Structures are given as C-alpha cells and as structure tokens.
Amino acid sequence: MNRFRTFSAGLLGFLGIAAATYGAHRLSTSPLLPYSLETWKTAVLYQFIHVLALLSLGRYSKGFAVPSLCFLFGILLFSGSLYAWVLSGNAGWTRLTPFGGSLLGIGWLGIAGEALFRRRAPEP
C-alpha cells in the first residue's frame, strides 16, 4: 500500500465532501454567478471520480507514480481553479482548468500504459 496516495485520496475526499456541502447549502441561495452552482457541481464530480481512482492506486506499493501525481495535480488544478472562479468571480482562474483536465486525462493514459508495459512479478 502506498501511504501518500491513500492519504492524498482521503484528504481530497474529505475536501470534496466539504465542497459539496458548501455548494449545496451556500451556493444554491447565493446570487454570485448564474452558472456558479453548475460549475461547482462539475468541480466536485471530477474531484470525486479522480479521488476514487487515486484511492484505488494506493493499493499498489510500486508503480503508478505518474498517474497518481497526474490525478493529484489534475484535481488541484481542474477542480481548484473552478472553485476559485466561483468564489472570486475572477475568470482568470479558468486559465488553469485545461491544464488540470489534461493532467487527469494523462493520468488515465498512464494507467493504461502501466497495464500494458509494467513487468509482472514472477509467480510464486
């Protein structure tokens, strides 16, 4: 088990619950931006999908370092930039969103690559 991956997934999962709760209780009645609740929901959804992927990679003590880092930084950039945009109203934050989305996609390709090219340990 990889403790860093599992810790990161747990922390980001907790933050995802906090973000979902905030969005449900505060943004639903907020006059911030007309699209803020939908944008917030998208950020939360992508965060949780990739937290689960990161958690599943935590089972492995070796390998999957690149996909794990891509998921970690992808969540921070993709979801984080959308959260910052909604909270601040500054659309400049959305410049980071495509980089985060790209990292999330690269993470999935990294999993595919690990599955194809990773050496198996000899069977006992």
Side-chain angles (χ1 to χ4, degrees), residues 9-22 40 43-44 47-48 51 83:
L11 181 61
L12 288 169
F14 168 78
L15 292 173
I17 289 291
T21 303
Y22 181 82
W40 195 271
V44 169
Q47 181 171 346
F48 274 120
V51 160
Y83 295 143

Side-chain angles (χ1 to χ4, degrees), residues 4-63:
F4 178 74
R5 292 177 202 159
T6 306
F7 169 79
S8 298
L11 181 61
L12 288 169
F14 168 78
L15 292 173
I17 289 291
T21 303
Y22 181 82
H25 295 285
R26 299 289 276 169
L27 292 181
S28 61
T29 60
S30 173
L32 281 177
L33 303 168
Y35 47 81
S36 62
L37 188 57
E38 283 306 310
T39 300
W40 195 271
K41 286 180 181 179
T42 299
V44 169
L45 175 65
Y46 275 66
Q47 181 171 346
F48 274 120
I49 289 169
H50 293 91
V51 160
L52 292 174
L54 186 59
L55 183 62
S56 71
L57 294 179
R59 300 180 14 202
Y60 300 96
S61 59
K62 293 184 179 182

Side-chain angles (χ1 to χ4, degrees), residues 1 45 82 124:
M1 177 169 91
L45 175 65
L82 293 178

